[in-house]
Amino acid sequence: EDEATMAASLRPDASAAAGGARHADLTWLSPEEAVGSVDDAQATWAALSYRVGLLLHCAAVSGSSEPYPHRSADSVICGLLRSAKGCGQPEEPFGLGSASVGGGSPTRCRLMENVISSCLRLSRPGAPDRAVVETSLAILSQEANRLSV
């Protein structure tokens, strides 16, 4: 299936799963959501962790409220479909490769980069271990609280 066919099948007016979603809604999907396979706890965690990665990326790296501001929804969806099928490189949000996480200690920055990379599956396929993500976020939260005092 070529990209044009995949994109056409997922346009909001052609897809019941998209349900009339706007561009911003579509670009926040995980690969699992793009293929409609969020049907058990493991897939739900995979989808949630991916969205956590997008959220952290936007907050800590790009400063944008849109993970893919320079790409069409069709292009993002096609990339997510390729990721879900294991074809090609994982989708990388805008600015991730060229920017670094700002603020805090070098250790905090590395930890944040590792969490984002794991959640977005840039370092290895599959969702990250939930306990590792929870522990990492707790450490980041404690440091943020310490710095704000």
Side-chain angles (χ1 to χ4, degrees):
E1 216 175 352
D2 67 352
E3 286 189 24
T5 305
M6 286 192 293
S9 70
L10 286 167
R11 285 197 180 98
D13 59 356
S15 173
R22 298 173 299 127
H23 174 269
D25 296 335
L26 294 174
T27 59
W28 282 91
L29 293 177
S30 67
E32 293 76 20
E33 292 166 310
V35 295
S37 66
V38 184
D39 52 5
D40 61 23
Q42 183 176 356
T44 300
W45 167 245
L48 175 62
S49 65
Y50 192 87
R51 286 187 178 215
V52 166
L54 289 176
L55 180 64
L56 291 173
H57 162 73
C58 288
V61 178
S62 74
S64 172
S65 62
E66 177 64 41
Y68 308 98
H70 304 299
R71 294 180 55 198
S72 70
D74 286 349
S75 172
V76 173
I77 291 293
C78 287
L80 292 171
L81 291 171
R82 282 193 303 275
S83 292
K85 294 179 180 182
C87 305
Q89 295 295 318
E91 281 301 288
E92 186 172 301
F94 174 72
L96 191 60
S98 61
S100 62
V101 175
S105 69
T107 302
R108 178 204 171 273
C109 293
R110 279 192 303 280
L111 180 58
M112 180 69 83
E113 289 169 353
N114 288 340
V115 171
I116 293 170
S117 180
S118 295
C119 287
L120 296 178
R121 304 166 204 160
L122 301 176
S123 53
R124 65 177 184 83
D129 181 82
R130 184 175 179 166
V132 171
V133 172
E134 289 174 349
T135 300
S136 298
L137 292 175
I139 292 167
L140 290 166
S141 176
Q142 288 171 356
E143 181 164 334
N145 288 337
R146 184 181 57 78
L147 293 174
S148 67
V149 173

